[in-house]
Amino acid sequence: MSKRTVNTKNKKMLIAAVVLVAIVAISALIPESAWNSIFVKTGLAPKPYVSAPMTVHFVDVGQGDCTLITTDKCETILIDSGEEIKAQNVINYLKNLSVNELDYCIVTHPHSDHYGGMLKIISEVPAKRVIMPKLGGESTPADSYYENFISYVKNNCKGLYFISSYQKINLSEAELELYPPVSQDDELNEMSLVVKASYKDGSFLITGDCSENEEKELIGKYSADEFNVNVLKAGHHGSKTSSSEEWLDAVKPDICVITAGKYNSYDLPHEETIEKLEKRKIKILRTDICGNIVFDCDEDTITMR
């Protein structure tokens, strides 16, 4: 009787071991993003603040730029970060969404109000890949922050990419299109990387500090229809040096988001830009007035939260 009991226990242990090995083998074949989705759906992990296949968050970082793109497949893309003083705000925003890792970090150009907080952010919320525009020797920053940032990315991220030609990133369902500056310029604003994010019929254009000259070069190199989107993030925080008549006529946005700090010393957005947008009946949303601005992109609709 006792021997039979021992054998039964051994069989149970053997079965448990086989099941455990099978689970480990199967789990190794399932991508991390899929596990994240499973954990969320079964309640084993907090649900991300995502209710659509693609959600675009224009995060209020004062006088700076920061855009987060998330998908219902737990993909995450951070475009710019704002100044270093706003880094903890962005970290808190990410953690509130249960974002513990970034698939891509995109720096539109290395001005502090666009990437000054990025080093601190990716130190706490790791990034797999970092993408930046390829800069010429004269336009490459020579300061210690830039050197420390590049060094950290090389040592801690899977990849650092300096791009000089059009690139497309296919996500599970959405896609990103990257348009680097057409020509080299000593002025870093003219070296902004423009990002187009699309899901089905919904599209967004994030332009960094892209100024009028770069806008014209982009339209000249690519079809103007290529930049036709639903939502435009105005270049250079609504400065009169960006958002040219020609650019707005090519983009034809329904909504324009302006990222600017409340009572900023640059008096941004400029009245000239506001007038051009109003003349075209483009709805204007400003982070200095609205705070965070979030859009959910579904099958055939874009909904603002």
Side-chain angles (χ1 to χ4, degrees):
M1 188 71 178
S2 61
K3 282 186 178 180
R4 183 176 294 175
T5 303
V6 170
N7 287 341
T8 301
K9 285 183 179 180
N10 286 342
K11 286 180 181 178
K12 287 181 179 179
M13 290 176 65
L14 179 60
I15 292 169
V18 170
V19 170
L20 181 59
V21 170
I23 290 172
V24 171
I26 293 170
S27 67
L29 300 174
I30 299 176
E32 182 181 353
S33 60
W35 276 120
N36 290 339
S37 182
I38 291 168
F39 289 151
V40 166
K41 288 177 181 177
T42 56
L44 296 174
K47 185 175 181 178
Y49 193 64
V50 175
S51 58
M54 183 176 78
T55 300
V56 180
H57 313 246
F58 293 96
V59 184
D60 179 16
V61 289
Q63 187 56 36
D65 262 19
C66 181
T67 305
L68 173 69
I69 299 172
T70 56
T71 75
D72 59 356
K73 300 293 188 288
C74 297
E75 296 157 314
T76 52
I77 300 95
L78 184 66
I79 304 171
D80 289 341
S81 67
E83 297 276 6
E84 184 176 10
I85 195 172
K86 295 292 184 177
Q88 192 59 51
N89 296 38
V90 179
I91 292 167
N92 293 343
Y93 192 91
L94 293 171
K95 291 189 174 179
N96 285 338
L97 301 181
S98 301
V99 174
N100 298 312
E101 185 177 49
L102 295 161
D103 292 300
Y104 294 93
C105 273
I106 299 174
V107 175
T108 60
H109 65 295
H111 270 160
S112 64
D113 60 327
H114 288 259
Y115 90 128
M118 195 68 86
L119 181 53
K120 185 174 181 180
I121 292 167
I122 64 176
S123 296
E124 291 204 34
V125 183
K128 293 179 182 177
R129 305 165 193 86
V130 174
I131 299 172
M132 304 177 71
K134 186 174 179 60
L135 303 176
E138 293 185 5
S139 58
T140 302
D143 56 83
S144 59
Y145 179 85
Y146 180 81
E147 293 173 358
N148 291 339
F149 177 73
I150 296 301
S151 176
Y152 181 89
V153 171
K154 286 181 176 178
N155 291 325
N156 294 277
C157 302
K158 290 183 179 179
L160 171 61
Y161 307 93
F162 295 99
I163 68 167
S164 58
S165 59
Y166 168 87
Q167 304 288 329
K168 180 185 284 190
I169 298 173
N170 292 312
L171 304 174
S172 295
E173 295 177 290
E175 68 176 23
L176 302 177
E177 294 176 86
L178 310 179
Y179 299 87
V182 176
S183 59
Q184 287 289 323
D185 197 293
D186 293 344
E187 171 53 56
L188 273 178
N189 288 341
E190 299 286 357
M191 296 300 296
S192 291
L193 179 62
V194 172
V195 182
K196 182 178 178 181
S198 306
Y199 172 77
K200 303 291 186 182
D201 293 330
S203 51
F204 298 74
L205 201 61
I206 297 121
T207 59
D209 279 350
C210 182
S211 298
E212 186 173 346
N213 184 58
E214 186 180 353
E215 291 171 352
K216 289 180 178 178
E217 288 190 336
L218 287 169
I219 294 171
K221 180 169 183 177
Y222 303 95
S223 164
D225 291 342
E226 206 159 329
F227 301 106
N228 182 209
V229 297
N230 303 104
V231 181
L232 166 69
K233 188 214 71 79
H236 206 181
H237 321 286
S239 168
K240 61 185 178 183
T241 61
S242 300
S243 303
S244 63
E245 303 269 1
E246 187 179 358
W247 181 247
L248 292 177
D249 289 339
V251 176
K252 296 183 179 68
D254 302 307
I255 298 171
C256 183
V257 173
I258 298 176
T259 54
K262 196 174 290 186
Y263 312 123
N264 66 83
S265 59
Y266 306 101
D267 197 27
L268 294 169
H270 287 149
E271 189 59 35
E272 294 94 324
T273 300
I274 299 296
E275 289 175 358
K276 283 186 281 187
L277 295 170
E278 289 178 340
K279 184 174 73 174
R280 291 167 174 79
K281 295 181 171 52
I282 298 169
K283 183 177 177 64
I284 301 168
L285 298 172
R286 297 165 49 170
T287 56
D288 59 332
I289 295 173
C290 304
N292 302 321
I293 302 168
V294 182
F295 295 92
D296 286 327
C297 217
D298 220 316
E299 290 296 319
D300 54 3
T301 58
I302 295 177
T303 306
M304 186 183 73
R305 292 195 209 142

